[in-house]
Amino acid sequence: MRRLIAAGFAIIVVVVAGFVLWPSGGQGLVLYSALDYGSAVGKAFTRQTGIPVKVIRLSTGALLARITAEGHHPDWDIAWFDGATASVSLDRAGLLTHGLKPPTQLTATGRAMVPPDGAYVPTGFTLAGVFVMKKDTTLPPPTTWNDLTSKPYRDAVGMNDPAISGPTYPALAGMLKQAGGWPQGKHFVEALKVDGLHVFAKNDATLAALQAGTIRLAGGQASGAGNTAENVDKDLKVVFPRPAYILPNVITLPRGLHGRLRREAKRFIAFALSQAGQRIRLHQNDGDSYYWPVTPSPAPRSGLAPLSSLDLAPLDAARWGAREKTVIAWFAQAIDGTGA
């Protein structure tokens, strides 16, 4: 009898604990975020909707590798990162859902980023490749990509490794595009190597080399560069090349997401693009908050250059995403020297 009473009591405890501890909004969403503001947006979304969001913060390269490794058995419901080309690569592997539509009005620039199959939704953009220099350098600021192969820049230029730094591949694609595309543009990057191009793992290492004087010009994406120059090292300045290639930040959902999870994920996308969501994103005082919205409002951070002052150029995400593995493999072997 005592055993029956004890067993009955244990069952009651488990049931009560389940009601107490079970999230009010259901099981919730798992967000893989390579963007600094992902956690803050997730918390605000939960406060507004009651839907729990578990945020797993990863670098872009690690996020893409994890999604690829999980394959058709995803542990994620939403992924948020910089790179429409990376989304195309995942989509070609059959890992993404289709049919997503922006839940709000987009600018003309934003509408141009929307893929025909709806495999991702653009939520803003930065620039794939800008230059960072010391303000007191005697090196002339480059105005075009072709300037980098001229004499003053020999042994002076550094960039991130596109095999490790996820957002670097679109910058590499931009270099190749302006030099004639693929494979014609290889000669431009190969010329940079002959002139002493330095390749570092990630943005932090590249900027550290600039600050130490190992290089005199660092290539990187505009969001991280803008944050560093404004908040980390005011002795640095950002130079925008002509053209400057657009790098969208995007949200994707895994293939097969349906029912409640799909509805909740779409609500998250709507919140991320809403004015309330973007106010959170724009005021986190981190690198990724230095982005240009793809909605008519709100305005971007005051420290960002006006778009009217820039020579913007799009990258064909479908074209460059399809050849990403090929290009990165070539870079590792021919430029970085790490290929097999």
Side-chain angles (χ1 to χ4, degrees):
M1 179 63 71
R2 289 181 179 177
R3 290 182 179 179
L4 289 174
I5 294 173
F9 181 74
I11 293 171
I12 292 171
V13 169
V14 170
V15 172
V16 171
F19 279 110
V20 171
L21 298 177
W22 193 264
S24 60
Q27 295 178 348
L29 299 165
V30 175
L31 167 64
Y32 285 4
S33 176
L35 299 169
D36 298 327
Y37 45 65
S39 180
V41 174
K43 291 177 181 177
F45 175 75
T46 299
R47 286 195 299 269
Q48 183 181 94
T49 64
I51 300 169
V53 179
K54 179 181 179 181
V55 180
I56 298 177
R57 177 71 168 92
L58 301 160
S59 67
T60 304
L63 181 151
L64 298 173
R66 184 161 175 168
I67 288 176
T68 301
E70 291 176 9
H72 296 286
H73 303 282
D75 291 329
W76 58 284
D77 304 308
I78 308 170
W80 201 2
F81 53 90
D82 283 330
T85 52
S87 297
V88 170
S89 205
L90 294 175
D91 188 36
R92 285 173 61 85
L95 301 181
L96 303 184
T97 193
H98 287 178
L100 297 179
K101 296 180 181 179
T104 188
Q105 180 183 1
L106 301 184
T107 62
T109 303
R111 290 195 298 272
M113 300 177 194
V114 177
D117 62 2
Y120 57 85
V121 172
T123 61
F125 70 96
T126 180
L127 303 176
V130 298
F131 307 131
V132 187
M133 311 172 67
K134 291 185 177 180
K135 290 180 178 177
D136 61 358
T137 185
T138 58
L139 190 70
T143 56
T144 69
W145 293 95
N146 287 332
D147 288 345
L148 301 185
T149 57
S150 60
K151 186 175 180 179
Y153 301 96
R154 289 178 183 170
D155 202 38
V157 180
M159 66 176 288
N160 304 338
D161 185 344
I164 300 173
S165 172
T168 299
Y169 172 69
L172 175 59
M175 293 184 203
L176 294 165
K177 178 182 177 182
Q178 63 83 36
W182 179 262
Q184 296 88 343
K186 291 194 293 185
H187 70 85
F188 173 77
V189 186
E190 289 166 347
L192 291 180
K193 180 186 177 181
V194 171
D195 286 344
L197 175 68
H198 299 258
V199 179
F200 304 94
K202 293 185 178 182
N203 199 50
D204 289 348
T206 306
L207 290 174
L210 175 65
Q211 292 167 314
T214 305
I215 58 175
R216 301 171 68 193
L217 181 76
Q221 68 185 92
S223 52
N227 177 58
T228 299
E230 186 168 333
N231 299 315
V232 180
D233 188 343
K234 295 185 181 296
D235 292 330
L236 300 179
K237 64 179 179 180
V238 180
V239 177
F240 297 93
R242 305 182 70 87
Y245 289 99
I246 292 172
L247 174 59
N249 50 69
V250 300
I251 287 181
T252 65
L253 308 183
R255 185 175 182 177
L257 193 72
H258 54 79
R260 174 185 58 80
L261 286 174
R262 184 181 176 98
R263 292 191 297 272
E264 291 179 352
K266 291 173 73 173
R267 289 181 67 182
F268 182 89
I269 296 173
F271 182 75
L273 279 165
S274 70
Q275 291 207 31
Q278 293 200 73
R279 280 195 294 269
I280 296 168
R281 294 166 60 194
L282 289 165
H283 293 92
Q284 288 302 298
N285 293 322
D286 51 41
D288 291 323
S289 64
Y290 285 75
Y291 75 91
W292 286 273
V294 290
T295 52
S297 61
R301 294 181 67 113
S302 59
L304 283 174
L307 289 177
S308 59
S309 69
L310 304 176
D311 178 15
L312 296 180
L315 277 173
D316 186 327
R319 176 176 297 177
W320 288 101
R323 56 179 57 131
E324 181 168 356
K325 291 182 180 178
T326 301
V327 172
I328 289 179
W330 162 79
F331 187 94
Q333 184 172 29
I335 308 300
D336 193 27
T338 59

